[in-house]
Structure formats: C-alpha cells, structure tokens
Amino acid sequence: MIISEILKNSKILKMILPATKVFDCSVIDLSKVHTQQGNTTVAENGKGIPFDVKRVYYLYDVPGGELRGGHAHFELEQMIVAASGSFDVILDDGKFRKRVSINRPNLALHVVPGLWRELDNFSSGSICMVLASNQYYEKDYIRNYDEFLSHKNNE
Ligand code: TYD
C-alpha cells in the first residue's frame, strides 16, 4: 500500500501535499536519434527520467477547446510529452501559475507531486503521452481546486 493510501485511510492523519512549487518542474530533453529514415526518441528508466516509470497513458481525440487535468496528486510524478501535435500545461502551486507549451516529441515536462495542473489548447490530432511513477490510484487525486488550496495553505 502506498503512503498516501495509508494516510488517507487513517482517522488521525490528514493527507499532506508536498510543499512543491511550479518552479520545481522542468522541461527535460529526451534527445532524438536522427536518421534519414526519421527520428527516434527513447524514454528508458535510469536514463534521464527522474523516477521509474510504472504506467504510460495517453490522451487523444480531445475535442477542440476541451480542458483536461484539473487535479493534483499527493505522490504521483509525471513526464508529459506531446507525442504528436501540441497543447499547454498550466501548473499551479496555490501561489504561482505557469503555462508551459508542449510541442516537440523529444521534450518532456517533468511534473512533481503536489501541484494543480490543467491541460488545454490541444491542437487537432494531438497526442498527450504521460509517463507516470505509479499505478492509477484514485485516492492519490485531489479533484477540487478549493480543497487543493486548503491543503497548500496549510503548509
Ligand atoms: P481523468 O484522470 O479524469 O482525466 P484527466 O487526465 O483529464 O484528469 O481520467 C479520465 C478517465 O480515465 C477517468 O474515468 C479515469 C480513467 N483512467 C484510468 O482508468 N486509468 C488511468 O490510468 C487514468 C489516467 C485514467
């Protein structure tokens, strides 16, 4: 059982969001191998990824003008890649907001835990690929912005 589950199931302890800031997130160049036949980019555990990848998922066929995300994670770390097309990621630590444009398949946005994030401005046909540090646990999510702020303000 991951720590967040133990804490959330506990009657005594409150879930604690890490005191992370939007400035803790960075764009990592996974680099690319260029050949005459086209480009190749590799994401491999232990080689430039700041965590071990346990899950990969991707968002696609996102209708124009649609907003995705709208949540924070207690523990999960992610690398967000535009495998095709482009979109924006809005990061929010309760104090600062930062909009990052993701538009190259070799560039990955590393998102640390404890931040509110939204994704918008999806180009037609874009694919948002996410490398994640853990399996899917709904209890690791905060999906309400006011609840997120109350956790962050208690830091
Ligand atoms: P959700 O987290 O709501 O999407 P967003 O990235 O926009 O916040 O996920 C959309 C749906 O997919 C929701 O029903 C939960 C489901 N889902 C899984 O079953 N497993 C997963 O790993 C993820 C990321 C989502």
Side-chain angles (χ1 to χ4, degrees):
M1 189 182 274
I2 59 171
I3 295 167
S4 64
E5 268 191 285
I6 296 166
L7 290 173
K8 208 161 192 177
N9 290 338
S10 159
K11 299 252 186 300
I12 305 158
L13 291 169
K14 209 179 157 199
M15 287 290 280
I16 299 161
L17 273 181
T20 44
K21 300 290 171 208
V22 295
F23 311 107
D24 298 324
C25 298
S26 57
V27 174
I28 294 174
D29 190 349
L30 296 170
S31 81
K32 66 181 165 194
V33 182
H34 174 72
T35 68
Q36 276 187 336
Q37 292 75 34
N39 295 328
T40 303
T41 289
V42 182
E44 188 174 349
N45 283 342
K47 293 191 181 170
I49 303 181
F51 53 82
D52 270 359
V53 177
K54 297 244 178 67
R55 175 170 51 116
V56 177
Y57 64 91
Y58 33 100
L59 316 179
Y60 56 99
D61 290 347
V62 178
E66 198 59 64
L67 182 86
R68 297 295 301 258
H71 61 253
H73 290 284
F74 287 97
E75 287 192 349
L76 194 75
E77 271 184 80
Q78 293 166 310
M79 296 267 279
I80 302 180
V81 178
S84 183
S86 62
F87 51 85
D88 291 352
V89 181
I90 301 128
L91 301 167
D92 184 326
D93 58 23
K95 206 167 179 185
F96 296 101
R97 278 201 147 214
K98 186 177 161 185
R99 178 178 284 269
V100 184
S101 192
I102 312 285
N103 51 20
R104 296 264 187 284
N106 59 302
L107 298 182
L109 175 65
H110 176 219
V111 181
V112 297
L115 299 179
W116 186 263
R117 91 286 313 274
E118 290 163 8
L119 290 83
D120 70 5
N121 212 13
F122 285 88
S123 69
S124 172
S126 59
I127 300 175
C128 168
M129 184 176 72
V130 183
L131 314 179
S133 65
N134 220 330
Q135 281 125 323
Y136 178 72
Y137 290 111
E138 188 53 40
K139 285 178 180 171
D140 189 57
Y141 284 72
I142 298 183
R143 293 187 184 272
N144 179 287
Y145 187 69
D146 289 337
E147 196 188 331
F148 163 76
L149 280 184
S150 74
H151 277 269
K152 277 306 228 190
N153 292 337
N154 287 335
E155 281 168 3

